[in-house]
Amino acid sequence: MADTATGATLPQPSRGGWRILALLAPAYGWLLLTVFLPLCAMLVFSFLKTTPFGSRQPLVFTFKNYLAFVDRPYLVNVAWTSLQLGLWTTGLCAALGLPAAIALARATRGRTRQVLFLLTILPFWTNGLVRVFSWTMLLREGGLLDQAVHLVWPGAGSLSLLYSFPAVVIGLVHAYLPYMILTCYLSVVGIEDGLIDAARSLGARTPAVFTTVILPLCLPGLVSGAILIFVPVIGAFMEPRILGGRIGVTMGTVIEDQFTSAYNWPLGAALSFTMLAAVLVIFAAFSGVLRKRLAVA
Amino acid sequence: MIPLGRLTLALILVFLYAPVVVMIVMAFNESDLYALPLQPSLKWFTALAGNEKLIDASRNSVLIAVITAVLGTAIGTLAALALARHAFRGRSVLQLLLLPPIAIPWLITGTAMLVFFYWTGIGRGLHAMILGHVALAIPYVVLVVGTGLQGLRSDLEEAAMSLGSTPVHAFFAITLPLLAPSLIAAALFAFAVSLDQFVVSYFLATPGVSTLPVEIYTSIRKGFTPEINAVSTLLLGASVMLFLVFAVLTRMGEADERR
């Protein structure tokens, strides 16, 4: 698209170069100051021995913060909890999101589809904190879920889901499911009816159509959805904190603690960078699929 | 398959909206223990009016969101014009550099800003939160405005210039008015991103200066209060309004109708 427009809007190449620079400078200057330089600063910080709070002592560098997983064995368990949260949330989102996307794309049309589509996207725009908070009312002991169960079965005990691993998973699935529905929907909408008709006319039954036609074509959507969900979930701290209580100790909450209560910023920075490295590895591993996805969308 | 899918879709919508509906209902419930049956009352909204902390935080939230919308849209639109209208070396790298603010977990971006701002003396507070929010909004603005520019014919601008208009005049007379819906949509998106932002604000807020989501988080950690339901309901209402305007402006969900 840009190639067709280029010639005309660039009357003089040399002046055009300056103009492009002037157009780009504010945005990238801003991002440099607020994202890229801070990331560099944090990288330096992660090698510091102590947080340089006010003191004018010379900075002492160490590699110790990156050995945290060796020095503090409990962190391995914490990382395992984060990983499990990520896997459960991503898996459940895929299991729920794909059928919903297929239903949205293939079983609805016209105005109904438009409204349903907007309804599934709307939660993107609502505050995550507000939504997590609303779950605490439903899940807590004697909460609305308990009250509802007691209406049906008065003698039942309390479910008491709040402050448990499932509660955190429920909250996270609630927060991230729309991503999966959206990415899968974009994939499913691209499938031509002819392909499915062809498979059927060749004798494929519904399960076979699903596994041999729909599922492979949805794979890019599933993968990009999974990455969009898995990456923020392993860094989540607000949901585990509110819905998990004492059980909700994750990499996210440990990092938050280093910055807000333990004031061990170098350790927090090192843990952040370990997590960032994991994120980059995930992105790199799936970059091929993602590039195709971006090209389609 | 299809009926099963429809059932899943219906259940998912119930799952997505049930807690939100519960929260709104409880905001209007007299009981502070969330007891049913419902006794309609506005007492939590009245209680809100006397809560200085929440009002201050709300004012900060709106102020930051307005500034983010204006600055983010202006800065992002300039970059979008360069990226969408010109081919130059390094363009794809620059486009790739828009991803980190979106793709890196906010926990990492937020703590990195805290470290850097502390170190350089920029410090925390309102200005720091504005710096952070605008950074998060820029990539979205570039995306929304860039998409709008793609749907815009560049030959109109060329025609104006061939008739003697300067590039700057052509931009303001032709491109800008045609781009207006995209610009408004981008500004709304930036506003919403800022209004709902919690993680970055959380690390850049000071005890005296915070935003509504940060105050909600602090209140939840202290204990349940139905006032939070009331203020959350108001915040939710604002978000939904913004969303509806955005959806109308970008004709969201209509694109597949033309298939």
Side-chain angles (χ1 to χ4, degrees):
Chain A
M1 33 87 207
D3 300 318
T4 51
T6 313
T9 41
L10 276 178
Q12 289 141 313
S14 59
R15 276 188 52 202
W18 283 111
R19 212 165 70 211
I20 293 172
L21 198 66
L23 289 173
L24 291 171
Y28 286 91
W30 197 291
L31 290 181
L32 184 73
L33 181 68
T34 54
V35 178
F36 299 114
L37 282 178
L39 286 173
C40 295
M42 193 149 83
L43 186 64
V44 175
F45 233 82
S46 68
F47 290 104
L48 288 182
K49 201 161 180 203
T50 49
T51 316
F53 275 131
S55 58
R56 286 270 157 247
Q57 288 156 4
L59 303 175
V60 184
F61 290 92
T62 170
F63 200 72
K64 202 184 83 198
N65 296 317
Y66 282 94
L67 298 175
F69 283 93
V70 184
D71 295 345
R72 300 159 204 244
Y74 73 91
L75 280 179
V76 178
N77 290 330
V78 172
W80 176 234
T81 310
S82 286
L83 189 68
Q84 278 180 306
L85 273 183
L87 292 175
W88 272 103
T89 307
T90 313
L92 282 172
C93 283
L96 295 171
L98 182 63
I102 293 173
L104 192 61
R106 307 208 68 86
T108 62
R109 50 189 87 265
R111 196 107 197 123
T112 325
R113 181 200 282 192
Q114 209 177 320
V115 170
L116 286 174
F117 180 76
L118 292 181
L119 274 178
T120 43
I121 302 306
L122 177 62
F124 270 135
W125 285 65
T126 59
N127 195 296
L129 209 61
V130 169
R131 290 192 280 150
V132 166
F133 175 61
S134 60
W135 276 107
T136 62
M137 275 182 287
L138 279 165
L139 296 178
R140 75 199 183 106
E141 203 175 343
L144 290 165
L145 202 64
D146 276 1
Q147 291 182 29
V149 169
H150 286 177
L151 274 183
V152 184
W153 182 17
S158 169
L159 286 170
S160 187
L161 271 174
L162 191 56
Y163 307 134
S164 70
F165 187 82
V168 183
V169 173
I170 291 173
L172 286 169
V173 169
H174 190 246
Y176 291 102
L177 184 57
Y179 289 77
M180 185 62 91
I181 299 179
L182 184 66
T183 56
C184 286
Y185 176 80
L186 292 174
S187 281
V188 180
V189 157
I191 300 175
E192 284 175 36
D193 295 340
L195 274 175
I196 290 163
D197 295 340
R200 278 196 205 288
S201 72
L202 291 170
R205 287 167 189 282
T206 304
V209 171
F210 179 74
T211 53
T212 59
V213 180
I214 296 179
L215 198 57
L217 288 171
C218 289
L219 211 56
L222 271 175
V223 171
S224 43
I227 291 174
L228 281 178
I229 294 169
F230 188 80
V231 169
V233 165
I234 51 171
F237 73 91
M238 175 262 281
E239 295 90 348
R241 191 74 90 184
I242 295 173
L243 295 171
R246 267 181 298 140
I247 290 134
V249 180
T250 63
M251 287 311 290
T253 64
V254 169
I255 293 173
E256 185 210 351
D257 277 341
Q258 302 314 316
F259 284 96
T260 57
S261 54
Y263 292 108
N264 190 346
W265 287 15
L267 177 62
L271 292 176
S272 288
F273 262 94
T274 313
M275 205 158 79
L276 189 62
V279 168
L280 289 178
V281 168
I282 293 168
F283 272 118
F286 292 100
S287 63
V289 187
L290 277 179
R291 202 165 300 141
K292 246 182 263 166
R293 164 84 264 133
L294 286 172
V296 173
Chain B
M1 190 64 219
I2 293 293
L4 197 69
R6 277 202 184 131
L7 185 70
T8 326
L9 192 59
L11 287 177
I12 281 174
L13 285 176
V14 170
F15 170 71
L16 284 180
Y17 285 92
V20 178
V21 170
V22 164
M23 187 196 72
I24 295 171
V25 170
M26 286 304 144
F28 293 97
N29 192 4
E30 171 90 37
S31 157
D32 56 356
L33 296 166
Y34 313 128
L36 293 173
L38 185 77
Q39 294 162 283
S41 152
L42 284 175
K43 86 175 201 202
W44 302 115
F45 288 91
T46 5
L48 210 57
N51 191 327
E52 289 290 333
K53 239 182 163 177
L54 281 180
I55 292 173
D56 276 353
S58 309
R59 198 182 299 129
N60 286 339
S61 276
V62 172
L63 182 71
I64 295 172
V66 168
I67 296 175
T68 302
V70 173
L71 278 180
T73 309
I75 295 172
T77 303
L78 294 181
L81 281 168
L83 292 171
R85 282 282 166 92
H86 302 278
F88 51 89
R89 232 175 332 139
R91 190 178 69 169
S92 51
V93 175
L94 287 182
Q95 280 171 328
L96 211 62
L97 282 180
L98 290 172
L99 285 179
I102 305 180
I104 295 176
W106 285 331
L107 173 67
I108 297 177
T109 328
T111 51
M113 286 179 190
L114 172 64
V115 166
F116 182 70
F117 291 174
Y118 170 78
W119 219 356
T120 51
I122 294 173
R124 297 181 295 168
L126 216 55
H127 61 291
M129 288 192 265
I130 292 169
L131 279 172
H133 284 208
V134 172
L136 297 182
I138 286 173
Y140 294 111
V141 172
V142 174
L143 216 66
V144 173
V145 176
T147 314
L149 276 170
Q150 279 179 36
L152 235 157
R153 288 163 52 191
S154 63
D155 51 0
L156 287 173
E157 204 173 314
E158 287 162 34
M161 281 192 276
S162 73
L163 291 171
S165 176
T166 63
V168 174
H169 179 257
F171 173 75
F172 280 104
I174 310 285
T175 313
L176 204 58
L178 287 173
L179 207 55
S182 300
L183 291 180
I184 298 170
L188 283 175
F189 206 105
F191 188 90
V193 163
S194 169
L195 195 66
D196 289 343
Q197 178 57 41
F198 159 66
V199 179
V200 167
S201 306
Y202 175 62
F203 288 108
L204 298 179
T206 59
V209 185
S210 69
T211 65
L212 192 51
V214 176
E215 276 306 316
I216 295 177
Y217 181 67
T218 325
S219 309
I220 295 172
R221 288 190 69 181
K222 275 190 218 142
F224 301 97
T225 68
E227 261 168 274
I228 297 296
N229 286 334
V231 75
S232 299
T233 302
L234 294 177
L235 188 58
L236 198 72
S239 303
V240 171
M241 292 278 284
L242 285 173
F243 172 76
L244 290 178
V245 178
F246 180 83
V248 168
L249 277 173
T250 56
R251 301 167 174 275
M252 197 195 275
E254 274 176 32
D256 33 81
E257 289 310 297
R258 274 179 253 133
R259 288 194 327 131

